[in-house]
Amino acid sequence: MEESFVFQWSDIRSLLSILQWWAFNVTVIIVNKWIFQKLDFKFPLSVSSVHFICSAIGGYVVIKVLKLKPLITVDPEDRWRRIFPMSFVFCINIVLGNVSLRYIPVSFMQTIKSFTPATTVVLQWLVWRKYFDWRIWASLVPIVGGILLTSVTELSFNMFGFCAALFGCLATSTKTILAESLLHGYKFDSINTVYYMAPFATMILALPALLLEGNGILEWFSTHPYPWSALIIIFSSGVLAFCLNFSIFYVIHSTTAVTFNVAGNLKVAVAVLVSWLIFRNPISYLNSVGCAVTLVGCTFYGYVRHMLSQQPPVPGTPRTPRTPRTPRSKMELLPLVNDKLEDKV
């Protein structure tokens, strides 16, 4: 009886962790889109800077003040040699995501973001010449096909926003690949990652945001009917962005890899549905089919990757690791995409 209760509570905790993760993730996306579209605050660099500032403060409060997470100590030399390059790519990744939201609907942006598994596999194959099982390549076919169908049939297509989202996928893949080499030896969780990277990202982005968007923000401030209310919403999005990182930390410790993969793809579907209900952007039948095919492909890809990671090595072929987090050599790595820390903001 006691064992049954423990299992039931574990299931409930997993469900609650997924629901709160969905809530924060979808809310951050919707609020950012609302800022660009409804508040007419068309300054993605500044919005990203606000997110980094709030995340840096939040990380400090959680680790140093509240002591909810132990600090992972990093050598001062490694902070510049390892953390700074990662922060630079991290910064580009977030900025491109916000730039894409500025120009294209949430549904289209989220679908393109699902292209990340393909870009990661291709980059690792081209740059590191890694071996991948044929089933990995086959699982990418529906993802690529769904993205192509969605792009061709998108009624609100914008080339600049599309390119920003696509390069955002490349930045995400690069960040994931670099993390394996640059952060080797450090077992970062989402909170410690933000604690170290957000200050660097703020330092990198603050000056470009000021130079490129400063005059526009002053003009917006003087012409907007309710600037202070709008600023509260903008800074609230930064607080929510940090809370998203904390929610990822919680969901990581409450679900399995397979559950996380399925929940992550369902989260995209929820974000698409909620954004359509709020913004009413036109979506054609073929466009929705392309989005569905992409999400099914991502789920299948995650299943194939997990299945391969559990198989014993076949003699005469490059051996895959027992889990994606414990690679034996560069040639043995499974694709590093869809890791549990992928959605950091």
Side-chain angles (χ1 to χ4, degrees), residues 160-270:
F160 188 74
F162 170 77
C163 290
L166 195 59
F167 281 109
C169 291
L170 291 173
T172 301
S173 301
T174 303
K175 173 176 65 95
T176 308
I177 294 171
L178 284 178
E180 183 63 27
S181 57
L182 292 178
L183 301 184
H184 178 71
Y186 292 105
K187 296 186 179 296
F188 280 114
D189 53 64
S190 59
I191 306 301
N192 273 276
T193 300
V194 168
Y195 175 84
Y196 281 109
M197 292 189 185
F200 276 132
T202 304
M203 181 178 66
I204 293 168
L205 192 59
L207 185 59
L210 181 63
L211 294 177
L212 297 176
E213 299 179 346
N215 291 334
I217 292 176
L218 291 176
E219 182 179 350
W220 171 87
F221 197 87
S222 62
T223 58
H224 196 277
Y226 306 104
W228 294 108
S229 299
L231 285 177
I232 291 175
I233 296 176
I234 293 169
F235 277 93
S236 296
S237 73
V239 175
L240 289 170
F242 171 74
C243 292
L244 173 59
N245 288 278
F246 208 79
S247 72
I248 293 171
F249 168 74
Y250 179 45
V251 78
I252 283 172
H253 293 82
S254 304
T255 61
T256 64
V258 175
T259 302
F260 189 90
N261 175 61
V262 175
N265 292 304
L266 288 176
K267 176 204 67 182
V268 176
V270 172

Side-chain angles (χ1 to χ4, degrees), residues 41-191:
F41 190 83
K42 303 183 184 302
F43 308 106
L45 298 184
S46 299
V47 171
S48 301
S49 296
V50 169
H51 287 190
F52 293 143
I53 292 171
C54 292
S55 294
I57 296 173
Y60 181 86
V61 170
V62 168
I63 292 177
K64 290 289 191 177
V65 179
L66 301 179
K67 300 186 184 301
L68 298 178
K69 273 293 297 176
L71 175 66
I72 297 175
T73 304
V74 178
D75 295 335
E77 181 182 350
D78 282 346
R79 294 189 186 189
W80 288 99
R81 188 165 55 91
R82 297 187 179 191
I83 304 296
F84 183 79
M86 280 295 301
S87 301
F88 184 78
V89 180
F90 172 67
C91 179
I92 293 175
N93 179 35
I94 300 302
V95 168
L96 287 174
N98 283 329
V99 169
S100 65
L101 271 180
R102 159 82 167 77
Y103 291 97
I104 59 178
V106 172
S107 56
F108 191 30
M109 177 263 196
Q110 286 288 290
T111 305
I112 297 174
K113 189 177 179 182
S114 300
F115 193 55
T116 305
T119 57
T120 305
V121 170
V122 170
L123 278 178
Q124 291 180 93
W125 177 67
L126 288 175
V127 177
W128 282 359
R129 296 297 179 183
K130 290 182 183 176
Y131 165 84
F132 294 114
D133 189 276
W134 68 268
R135 286 166 288 188
I136 289 289
W137 292 104
S139 68
L140 298 178
V141 173
I143 298 177
V144 175
I147 293 292
L148 289 175
L149 179 59
T150 304
S151 301
V152 170
T153 59
E154 175 58 46
L155 300 178
S156 304
F157 185 86
N158 178 281
M159 180 57 72
F160 188 74
F162 170 77
C163 290
L166 195 59
F167 281 109
C169 291
L170 291 173
T172 301
S173 301
T174 303
K175 173 176 65 95
T176 308
I177 294 171
L178 284 178
E180 183 63 27
S181 57
L182 292 178
L183 301 184
H184 178 71
Y186 292 105
K187 296 186 179 296
F188 280 114
D189 53 64
S190 59
I191 306 301

Side-chain angles (χ1 to χ4, degrees), residues 12 18-19 31 40 74 76 108 140 171 179 211 242 291 298 316 334-335:
I12 294 173
I18 291 172
L19 291 176
V31 170
D40 202 34
V74 178
F108 191 30
L140 298 178
L211 294 177
F242 171 74
C291 180
C298 289
L334 288 173

Side-chain angles (χ1 to χ4, degrees), residues 322-342:
R322 297 293 297 176
T323 68
R325 294 183 180 275
T326 55
R328 304 293 193 271
S329 70
K330 288 183 178 180
M331 291 298 294
E332 295 172 2
L333 286 170
L334 288 173
L336 297 171
V337 72
N338 272 353
D339 200 358
K340 285 191 172 187
L341 300 182
E342 183 185 324

